[in-house]
Amino acid sequence: MQAAVTVTPAQIPELLLGLATVRPVFLWGAPGIGKSSLVRRFADSLGLECVSLLGTQLAPEDLIGVPQIRDGRSVFCPPEAIARDEPYCLFLDELNAASPDVQKAFYSLILDRRIGAYELPAGSIVIGAGNRATDNALARPIASALVNRLTHVHLQASAADWLVWAGEHGIHPWVTDYLTDRPDHLWSAPPKTEEPFSTPRSWHMLSDALHSFGPGIDENTLKVVVHGTLTPAHAVSFCGYAKIVRHTFGIEAILKGDASWPSRLEDRDLLYYLAEAFRGRLVKELPRQKEHVSPSLRQTVYRSKSLLVQLAEISVEVAQTVIADDADGQPVLPSWFLVEAARDMPRLVEARR
């Protein structure tokens, strides 16, 4: 299912309060962005126990129950997990990954709030969640009859929301500081190949590992952990950031002339990170129009072009990332700066093409 409108995690509680208390809701979103934890926190806020059923681990009889003979008649007894006396939150996780027969078994539970003779207690809520087929995750098409029984909400990752949550839950400072500088690295689209990719969940995993190993974690172990949890490009950048934290060697020192670009081959991950930080600084400080460049800023422009030349002498490939277009092929840096870069560094701009 495609998202026409998306919401951030911070919007979910109020949205669910108005929707889930009157109708069943289905929460769509990519793997690892916090759908399950959001539902559990929402249930807690209402004082309801959250009972999770995992669609991939259910058979139809797990919902319908097994028959018993009472007074010469067969009666289906719903499972204890569902048949409760007090209101609760029924969370149908990975609902769209369930088999068609299991999805059918949910029909009456979702719309009519009953299974056989059992009816959910008044005040109970029903929320489903699942990944999208475009996320390369296990997902099956949902029949129109089930689609029409749910209100559909599409969740997107938000670095601002996650960083607020991270500050309240002891996430490792390397992770929070890094994502404060690179919020675009919080989430990346699931790859088509079998490799780690960055999500709020994987950053949480990395935080747990960093806490576990402590400040004495050696560089090789750090690389194993980081590359085992994050998108490869993000992992290289984070390792470079970790070197900066450990050796107090950052972009500020380079911009001021107190330090130079690292040139050792073993510091290439650090060089990539510094180049990304340099690019971010240029995007932030350079105006879109050249006539808006003040005399004081002109000194920054001269210094930036000089640093770009120095960076290209170490690695044209790394320097090219500073002036590269975005994912849609649109220039990120102002066109006037790119023109000046082309004049001063034709070899670098040719590589960009």
Side-chain angles (χ1 to χ4, degrees), residues 20 29 50 68 75 92 103 175 184 211 253 279 284 297 315:
C50 185
Q68 291 186 357
V75 178
L92 310 177
Q103 291 186 19
V175 171
D184 56 314
H211 280 306
R279 172 182 168 94
K284 181 180 179 181
L297 187 57
S315 171

Side-chain angles (χ1 to χ4, degrees), residues 85-107:
D85 298 326
E86 299 296 326
Y88 67 100
C89 171
L90 180 58
F91 178 38
L92 310 177
D93 201 4
E94 298 184 6
L95 173 59
N96 60 326
S99 68
D101 287 342
V102 171
Q103 291 186 19
K104 288 178 183 178
F106 277 121
Y107 283 10

Side-chain angles (χ1 to χ4, degrees), residues 252-279:
E252 289 294 340
I254 294 176
L255 292 173
K256 292 178 181 178
D258 296 334
S260 57
W261 297 111
S263 57
R264 297 187 309 166
L265 184 61
E266 55 266 35
D267 287 332
R268 191 52 52 93
D269 54 353
L270 174 58
L271 189 65
Y272 269 106
Y273 177 81
L274 291 170
E276 288 185 359
F278 182 41
R279 172 182 168 94

Side-chain angles (χ1 to χ4, degrees), residues 28-145:
W28 295 87
I33 63 173
K35 299 184 295 294
S36 302
S37 59
L38 282 170
V39 172
R40 294 188 185 98
R41 290 205 298 271
F42 174 70
D44 288 342
S45 72
L46 298 182
L48 298 176
E49 182 179 359
C50 185
V51 177
S52 299
L53 298 180
L54 199 59
T56 52
Q57 299 179 1
L58 294 174
E61 55 269 23
D62 293 327
L63 300 174
I64 300 172
V66 294
Q68 291 186 357
I69 304 299
R70 294 181 184 172
D71 299 327
R73 299 181 180 181
S74 62
V75 178
F76 280 87
C77 299
E80 183 181 16
I82 296 176
R84 295 167 177 255
D85 298 326
E86 299 296 326
Y88 67 100
C89 171
L90 180 58
F91 178 38
L92 310 177
D93 201 4
E94 298 184 6
L95 173 59
N96 60 326
S99 68
D101 287 342
V102 171
Q103 291 186 19
K104 288 178 183 178
F106 277 121
Y107 283 10
S108 61
L109 182 61
I110 290 173
L111 184 63
D112 301 323
R113 302 166 62 84
R114 66 166 61 245
I115 292 182
Y118 172 76
E119 185 173 356
L120 294 180
S124 297
I125 58 176
V126 179
I127 302 176
N131 303 318
R132 304 160 301 190
T134 53
D135 295 319
N136 296 319
L138 177 60
R140 303 172 187 268
I142 298 181
S144 58

